[in-house]
Amino acid sequence: MGIVVRKLVLLDRLARLHRVRRRNPDDEDLVAVIVGIEADLGATVSQRVAAHFLGISHTEVGRRVRTGEVPLVENPEGAFEVPVPVLLRTLEGRDTSPAPSPVRTGAVARSDPAARSLDYHRALSEALTPDDVADARYRVHKWRNQGTLAPVYADRWEHLLSLPLEQIRGALNDTTEAAADLRQNTPFVGVLSELERRSLLETAS
Amino acid sequence: MNRQEFEHVVAAAANVVEEDQFVVIGSQSILGSVPLAPSGLLRSMELDIYPAKSPERAIEIDGSLGEGSPFHEVFGYYAHGVGPETAKAPTGWEGRLIASEIPPRPRSERRPVAFCLEPHDLVLAKCVAGRERDWRFAKVAIAAGLVDRATLLSRVGGLPIGSDGRQAIEARLPQGS
């Protein structure tokens, strides 16, 4: 099996398994399988693979990259590729709004990072759905295992994310020191579109 | 965040703003001088950073690599664009920054260097922030022998806070192991 075909097979499996995971967020075996496939596939894929997966031309992917509809991230090897989570959301028809050009620095952006984080979480709490919570629980598990989320924060997030949605929203807006610490290690990504997220940054600056 | 992830963020920031020199403050700056720092000092997933020659462009780093970005989603860590005023460190801290070269990426012409807070300046900046996790950081750093209490005490007078605050820090600084 060629590399491209193999990656497409893995992407297809991931897309299906993530849909199943959202319906069964407590299934740890399922989470373990997904984490394993993601490790096998890698965090990013080439634009060529992305084009095949989305069923569009390479030229069209390039256009979407230029407009910001499809972001590229620099992986540890220095290659700029399409993030797998974004690709999966694009396939599902979620978050297709383009990102604006690099955030402008007409004004000096010196607002407090903690305040920016609170604004970000306040905004996402308004849009929060059970699927977003299920996705966050998945990321807590995955990042804990890969070592990027410290156990103390993973434990706190696991507890918080097991609570009713309204309580989670309340916690995301909490202004205590403990809440600020937790937000600094947030598993909530992809709830806001890139356009919304960057607009918040421009507002803060 | 570990040293490899630290290097990844700095290298990515270099490509975002197309500059090579960065100042790193906050907890992760310990990785500039102590690549294998104790895990108790590395509990956060964010890196506080700004371009040394153009701090105002830190917001561009947030845009591409910041909290909630695709970069954050993919890798589980991210960059916080900050500024020199964020570092509440003792007078002269900028002259004590420790340069940490970042291995060049195969496909990049950039040669990034991260100028990181000297460990004593970092611990004292954390003490000024004064949150419980900041005091835990100080305790772990002292216990690990990464900083010594005498040097810390000698720099308290240079902190950008009032005398009451300095006295409180002097009184609360953990003893060494």
Side-chain angles (χ1 to χ4, degrees), chain A residues 73-81, chain B residues 8 11-12 15 75 104-108:
Chain A
V73 297
E74 181 177 346
N75 64 22
E77 292 73 39
F80 285 84
E81 294 194 326
Chain B
H8 181 196
N15 281 320
F75 299 112
R105 273 15 193 190
R107 305 165 204 233
S108 174

Side-chain angles (χ1 to χ4, degrees), chain B residues 56-97:
Chain B
E56 70 279 2
R57 298 188 66 194
I59 191 75
E60 293 177 43
I61 296 174
D62 253 312
S64 294
L65 311 175
E67 183 179 41
S69 65
F71 184 94
H72 179 191
E73 180 172 17
V74 170
F75 299 112
Y77 46 86
Y78 63 96
H80 252 156
V82 295
E85 72 287 346
T86 309
K88 306 297 183 189
T91 308
W93 65 270
E94 287 164 307
R96 293 187 290 269
L97 290 168

Side-chain angles (χ1 to χ4, degrees), chain A residues 66-86:
Chain A
R66 285 191 299 276
T67 62
E69 292 171 70
V70 172
L72 297 181
V73 297
E74 181 177 346
N75 64 22
E77 292 73 39
F80 285 84
E81 294 194 326
V82 181
V84 167
V86 172

Side-chain angles (χ1 to χ4, degrees), chain B residues 132-160:
Chain B
E132 282 310 308
R133 65 183 166 100
D134 297 311
W135 285 108
R136 277 196 300 272
F137 187 99
K139 185 177 178 181
V140 171
I142 292 172
L146 301 180
V147 296
D148 68 85
R149 200 165 184 275
T151 303
L152 290 171
L153 287 171
S154 73
R155 292 186 194 173
V156 170
L159 288 172

Side-chain angles (χ1 to χ4, degrees), chain A residues 43-44 71 73-80 83-86 89 102-105 107-110 113 116-117 120-121 139 142-143 146 148-150 152-153 156 177 181 183-186 188-190 194 197-198 201 205, chain B residues 1 5 8 11-13 15-16 42-46 48 55-60 62-78 80-86 105-108 130-133 136:
Chain A
T44 61
V73 297
E74 181 177 346
N75 64 22
E77 292 73 39
F80 285 84
V84 167
V86 172
R89 274 203 301 278
V103 179
R104 299 301 175 200
T105 55
V108 172
R110 300 294 175 87
R116 292 205 300 269
S117 181
Y120 169 73
H121 284 84
R139 279 184 214 103
K142 178 180 172 183
W143 290 350
Q146 76 185 28
T148 53
L149 182 60
V152 61
Y153 295 120
R156 290 181 199 170
E177 181 181 305
D181 285 354
R183 280 192 295 270
Q184 199 176 65
N185 297 276
T186 185
F188 281 109
V189 291
E194 265 302 275
R197 185 186 72 84
R198 290 190 179 223
L201 285 174
S205 67
Chain B
M1 185 178 292
E5 292 158 354
H8 181 196
N15 281 320
V16 168
L42 306 174
R43 303 202 316 184
S44 159
M45 63 168 55
E46 111 281 9
D48 296 334
E56 70 279 2
R57 298 188 66 194
I59 191 75
E60 293 177 43
D62 253 312
S64 294
L65 311 175
E67 183 179 41
S69 65
F71 184 94
H72 179 191
E73 180 172 17
V74 170
F75 299 112
Y77 46 86
Y78 63 96
H80 252 156
V82 295
E85 72 287 346
T86 309
R105 273 15 193 190
R107 305 165 204 233
S108 174
R131 295 157 297 202
E132 282 310 308
R133 65 183 166 100
R136 277 196 300 272

Side-chain angles (χ1 to χ4, degrees), chain A residues 20-39:
Chain A
V20 176
R21 175 188 57 74
R22 289 193 192 100
R23 296 194 294 269
N24 303 276
D26 295 322
D27 191 329
E28 292 184 4
D29 289 334
L30 180 57
V31 168
V33 169
I34 293 173
V35 169
I37 293 175
E38 288 183 342

